[in-house]
Amino acid sequence: MGPTALDDLRERLGAAVLTDAEAMAPYARDTSRAAPEGSPVAVVLAETTDQVSAALAWATAHRVPVSVRGAGTGLAGGAVGYRDGLVVSLERMNRIIAIDPANRLADVEPGVITAELDRAAHEHGLFFPPDPASARISTVGGNIATNAGGLRCVAHGVTTDSVAGLEVVLADGRVMRTGGRTIKDVTGLDLTSLFTGSEGTLGVITRATVRLKPVPEGEPRTFRASFARIEDAGAAVAAIVSGPARPEVLELLDALSVEIIESFHPSGLPLGDAAILVGQTVGPRAADDAAAILAVCAAHGSVASEISETDTLLEARRLSNPALNARGLRVSCDVGVPIAALAEMFLGVESVAREHGRRVSTVAHAGDGNLHCTVEAGESADEYAAAEAVIDDITRLALTLNGTVTGEHGIGSVKRHELGWQLDETAIDVQRAIKRALDPEGILTPGRGI
């Protein structure tokens, strides 16, 4: 990259451009195990859509690969910087532009922290349904880019179910708007859904109109059920999801996860059981629904249970990632399986762990069959390679159970080698044809996602 090209970028964007290596370093990686591919030539700290547009137009003109970064909490390596590439950071685009209580909508910039949007909505008696475990640090734009799920997914679906419209900057700098503010809209192709989950490969989201829901009446109830056998816990989950009492949250933790979480931050979770099911009910019937769910658990062999008016049990679940990292379990995946196959998947993961002689922790969004499996690994490259082999076997196991290679974290760079395990050649060709149509020079997140 010649100095003339960088001068051109600075002329377009001024102080928004970073080129100092030390200043750029934090923007070159995300939370995943993927290492930066080299030092970028520049980082753009965008504050407006116009600045994003100018940055992408420059990148297309100079054939510079672009990585897009929000809070950097992604776990699939989608935001890691390219050697001699451009990083477009959206963290400064963090305004909640408006909340529209009458239509139950919010207009936000992509850098808004998920939990902050939820808190702002609560001031109007509303809430933002997407609730990833990283809600306190992840951004709305990142959630949309990966179509994240989360703890409330069992009741409210994934992020795409809460996205009404988007403002997107295309690779050549053009700005496009998709969707709108109406409940129904079948005008043209559903471009909002196309960009949701596209992992920065098709365009850069600079604004979103998202759907909100009314805060349920009454006090929520948190519940816990312990099981001596993982297969009993899986059968209980299937019965709960198909039953009349609908949980707002339904999470399943294996014994290793519970032991590590409790050692990291004691929360009162009992030790020694094969699995613990934790969840929450909301609404006027929250207490009755929690009792009904625990009755289902008892009918499927639970050995202990409790109902609480506090969120302590869910707080313990949210601590799983930092707790596991602190104990050396660093290499993770987020496969999904049909709910009826949940118990078989848990047992299969235990078998894979024994075969490889490595500890594997499994925490699941049980209500939608999305498992987060994390493998222990030392600091060396060989250790990480050995852990990756475990992850590959777990992923193949999920596919044999009619599952998916990723439920919510995305493909990024970490899982791209698995793409062909799930999608046939035609499906991959079609997706890449769409990318070529929108990004003919291939500057946006090349070699990742699709």
Side-chain angles (χ1 to χ4, degrees):
M1 174 65 60
T4 302
L6 281 177
D7 288 343
D8 179 24
L9 183 63
R10 292 189 191 96
E11 185 176 338
R12 297 182 191 215
L13 294 168
V17 179
L18 298 179
T19 55
D20 176 74
E22 186 174 349
M24 292 192 296
Y27 297 94
R29 63 182 314 122
D30 55 19
T31 312
S32 75
R33 57 192 180 272
E37 298 177 7
S39 178
V41 294
V43 172
V44 171
L45 303 178
E47 297 185 18
T48 67
T49 298
D50 286 345
Q51 288 181 327
V52 175
S53 174
L56 296 193
W58 175 88
T60 291
H62 295 279
R63 309 297 189 268
V64 176
V66 176
S67 56
V68 187
R69 191 180 190 278
T73 62
L75 295 171
V80 172
Y82 295 93
R83 181 184 302 278
D84 296 329
L86 178 69
V87 177
V88 175
S89 169
L90 305 175
E91 66 179 2
R92 294 187 177 182
M93 298 183 68
N94 57 7
R95 295 184 304 144
I96 298 174
I97 298 165
I99 291 181
D100 178 358
N103 290 306
R104 298 177 182 172
L105 296 170
D107 294 294
V108 300
E109 291 182 329
V112 171
I113 299 297
T114 309
E116 291 179 1
L117 172 58
D118 197 40
R119 280 194 294 271
H122 268 74
E123 295 176 6
H124 301 271
L126 303 168
F127 73 99
F128 181 51
D131 184 35
S134 61
R136 292 169 184 164
I137 56 174
S138 64
T139 63
V140 175
N143 294 339
I144 295 172
T146 58
N147 195 17
L151 275 68
R152 292 196 290 238
C153 186
V154 61
H156 303 287
V158 293
T159 297
T160 191
D161 299 304
S162 295
V163 180
L166 297 171
E167 177 183 81
V168 180
V169 181
L170 300 178
D172 59 7
R174 289 180 298 164
V175 179
M176 178 179 68
R177 291 167 182 83
T178 75
R181 308 184 73 80
T182 59
I183 294 173
K184 295 181 177 179
D185 182 359
V186 292
T187 307
L189 300 177
D190 185 1
L191 296 179
T192 303
S193 295
L194 176 65
F195 283 95
T196 302
S198 63
E199 300 187 47
T201 61
L202 304 179
V204 177
I205 296 165
T206 52
R207 183 166 171 167
T209 300
V210 297
R211 302 191 188 280
L212 308 174
K213 290 186 177 182
V215 174
E217 297 178 3
E219 294 298 321
R221 293 293 188 274
T222 305
F223 59 85
R224 171 190 63 80
S226 302
F227 294 85
R229 301 195 318 157
I230 196 75
E231 51 265 47
D232 292 340
V237 169
I240 292 166
V241 171
S242 63
R246 297 288 295 176
E248 180 85 347
V249 175
L250 194 63
E251 301 286 302
L252 189 59
L253 298 81
D254 70 0
L256 179 58
S257 301
V258 172
E259 181 245 310
I260 290 175
I261 291 170
E262 280 298 294
S263 66
F264 181 78
H265 184 83
S267 306
L269 293 176
L271 303 175
D273 297 311
I276 292 180
L277 190 66
V278 298
Q280 189 173 71
T281 52
V282 298
R285 290 184 47 82
D288 292 339
D289 286 345
I293 288 171
L294 290 184
V296 172
C297 292
H300 288 83
S302 65
V303 295
S305 63
E306 68 169 310
I307 297 177
S308 172
E309 296 183 8
T310 72
D311 284 343
T312 303
L313 296 173
L314 294 185
E315 284 302 306
R317 163 62 182 89
R318 292 183 187 279
L319 288 170
S320 60
N321 281 346
L324 294 169
N325 284 334
R327 288 282 293 272
L329 282 82
R330 303 184 178 93
V331 181
S332 63
C333 68
D334 72 315
V335 296
V337 296
I339 294 168
L342 198 61
E344 188 175 354
M345 185 66 195
F346 263 86
L347 290 172
V349 171
E350 291 180 352
S351 177
V352 170
R354 286 193 299 271
E355 289 173 9
H356 286 267
R358 289 194 174 251
R359 294 190 304 164
V360 178
S361 156
T362 304
V363 177
H365 301 311
D368 53 62
N370 184 193
L371 298 92
H372 298 273
C373 302
T374 309
V375 184
E376 68 175 342
E379 298 287 354
S380 72
D382 288 345
E383 280 286 298
Y384 268 78
E388 292 282 5
V390 180
I391 291 296
D392 282 352
D393 282 354
I394 290 172
T395 303
R396 292 188 183 95
L397 171 64
L399 292 174
T400 66
L401 298 174
N402 298 310
T404 177
V405 302
T406 177
E408 60 182 358
H409 291 167
I411 292 294
S413 59
V414 169
K415 297 182 79 67
R416 195 165 187 258
H417 68 285
E418 299 172 355
L419 196 65
W421 299 358
Q422 180 175 337
L423 302 180
D424 62 42
E425 188 174 327
T426 300
I428 294 174
D429 283 347
V430 168
Q431 293 189 48
R432 291 177 179 168
I434 294 170
K435 176 170 175 58
R436 286 193 298 273
L438 294 175
D439 179 18
E441 300 298 334
I443 65 152
L444 287 174
T445 320
R448 298 175 191 166
I450 56 176

